[in-house]
Amino acid sequence: MSIDTRDSFTGKFGVIAAAAGSAVGLGNIWRFPYVVGENGGGAFLLVYILFILAIGIPVMMSELIIGRRAQKNVFGAFKALAPKHPYFIIVGIMGVGAAFMILAFYSVVAGWTLEYTYLAVSNNLLTKTSSELSVFFSEFSQSTTGPVIWMVVFMFLTGAIVIGGVQKGIERYTKILMPVLFIIIVILCIKSATLDGAGKGFSFLFKPDFSKVTGKVILEALGQAFFSLSIGMGVIATYGSYIQKKENLFTTAVSVSFADTLIAVLAGVAIFPAVFAFGIDPSSGPGLVFETLPNVFNHMAGGYFFSVAFFLLLVIAALTSSVSLLEVVVAYFAEELGMKRTVATVIATIAITLFGLLAVFSSEMFNFFDKTSSNILLPLGGILISVFVGWVLGKLQVKDELSAHGGKVRMIGLLMIILKIIAPLAIGLVFLNGIGII
Ligand code: PFF
């Protein structure tokens, strides 16, 4: 995606594919199941879906509005749209911090995925029993050489794509590959659902136990919603700037959020029945997917093929997300610090890779980056974005942008109430409650 030439995506599916490419990634298939597992299952899922509908979609629309109206990335956008309120650029600056933190651990997990792709290809995955898989994961993730090498490879690929121009590539590949990933996950769901003891997994995922809902659980659900939708840090605003005026931003936000949530829920359906069938602890943390899914491949016809395809496609899904994260940092270096794009990309990639080493060497740092970005930086960004669009841009501009200059806009009243009051208040309360202040 080149910032200098403002060409746009070639149509509705292109835009949705690119934004969905950012949204769908490790967040859906790695993070969602492990966070659901840590937070008690069904009740978490319900709160999560509520946040997607009531806060996620409106905030995503707001970012799209900001980007498309300004025709600039998030830094230029706030300056152009509200020259009298320069402090809103803090959204972009917090976004750079969040991008650094997210990429630091994201690239580590993507590195694990590369290792698992390699294991699958070399047929070293299906030969392991369930307990061997768990031991392997903990030894591998606690070692350094392997994870560092794969993490560097992943960051190199991310940097190379950003230098090469993301837009055409993203559009071309996500259109074909993400539906293939979707089909593989559906096949995994069917297999997993027919394992002995699968029923417990379904109850865990779909039967809410409200006694498990605490302030922390609610904050985790909110953080996961922001993380999974790629909102709260200006990524979606940047994509919005490439969307043609004739496209409908409401439909875009709803389609992307729907696709993202569907993939996360399907990942849950593929994983939790197997978690219980193989006697794995649902709250075993970031290793959950890596310890569980190989068992399913192990028990299915064509397991070799499916395991290779699954991990490879997961790497690609991770790449279409990581490029959108790196883009935020590159845009900052280029637009605000006046660097050339190529130089900015090289420096940003190297800096983030070094930062990522912290997440390889220390699981405390890994968790700190993971939780701080999702549960603090993105929700705070979300408050500012809603306030900006609700109060600073205001109804007339929002209406104008949503209707593509004229035409009818449905539910504008509701949207404005959400952006002005409900979203900032709800995010604020969840946040303060989750960190134990109220
Ligand atoms: N949404 C991505 C995922 O679910 O994997 C991760 C992500 C990308 C988060 C871009 C935030 C972001 F700005």
Side-chain angles (χ1 to χ4, degrees), residues 278-292:
F278 294 105
I280 297 166
D281 175 7
S283 62
S284 49
L288 189 67
V289 176
F290 295 95
E291 291 171 37
T292 307

Side-chain angles (χ1 to χ4, degrees), residues 250-263:
F250 175 74
T251 318
T252 307
V254 171
S255 318
V256 172
S257 306
F258 177 76
D260 187 72
T261 308
L262 181 66
I263 300 230

Side-chain angles (χ1 to χ4, degrees), residues 143-155:
S143 68
T144 44
T145 318
V148 168
I149 293 173
W150 287 125
M151 187 265 270
V152 171
V153 169
F154 182 80
M155 281 309 300

Side-chain angles (χ1 to χ4, degrees), residues 64-72 81 240 245 393 396-398 400-401 405:
L64 292 171
I65 290 170
I66 292 172
R68 187 168 76 178
R69 199 151 185 84
Q71 292 288 298
K72 292 195 167 53
L81 294 178
K245 287 285 177 197
L393 279 188
L396 287 181
Q397 291 205 55
V398 170
D400 181 54
E401 197 56 42
H405 314 307

Side-chain angles (χ1 to χ4, degrees), residues 187-245:
I187 295 173
L188 275 175
C189 289
I190 297 171
K191 180 68 211 171
S192 191
T194 50
L195 290 168
D196 273 349
K200 275 194 196 152
F202 281 105
S203 318
F204 181 80
L205 187 58
F206 293 121
K207 231 168 131 191
D209 171 359
F210 291 105
S211 69
K212 299 230 170 86
V213 179
T214 61
K216 182 188 155 280
V217 168
I218 298 176
L219 177 60
E220 288 281 345
L222 183 73
Q224 175 63 22
F226 271 82
F227 183 83
S228 195
L229 295 180
S230 299
I231 54 176
M233 53 183 282
V235 161
I236 297 292
T238 305
Y239 279 101
S241 71
Y242 294 101
I243 297 182
Q244 293 171 8
K245 287 285 177 197

Side-chain angles (χ1 to χ4, degrees), residues 115-129 132-133 294 297-298 300 302-308 311:
E115 166 78 11
Y116 275 67
T117 310
Y118 168 75
L119 289 176
V121 171
S122 58
N123 204 12
N124 278 312
L125 206 55
L126 303 190
T127 49
K128 292 185 173 42
T129 63
E132 282 169 351
L133 283 165
F297 295 123
N298 230 331
M300 67 197 273
Y304 178 83
F305 167 79
F306 283 113
S307 61
V308 172
F311 284 112

Side-chain angles (χ1 to χ4, degrees), residues 142-199:
Q142 282 163 30
S143 68
T144 44
T145 318
V148 168
I149 293 173
W150 287 125
M151 187 265 270
V152 171
V153 169
F154 182 80
M155 281 309 300
F156 176 83
L157 291 173
T158 304
I161 298 176
V162 171
I163 287 184
V166 189
Q167 195 174 310
K168 291 289 177 293
I170 282 199
E171 230 190 291
R172 196 174 320 137
Y173 294 116
T174 46
K175 268 189 206 173
I176 306 167
L177 294 176
M178 289 308 108
V180 179
L181 178 63
F182 175 79
I183 292 167
I184 294 184
I185 296 174
V186 171
I187 295 173
L188 275 175
C189 289
I190 297 171
K191 180 68 211 171
S192 191
T194 50
L195 290 168
D196 273 349

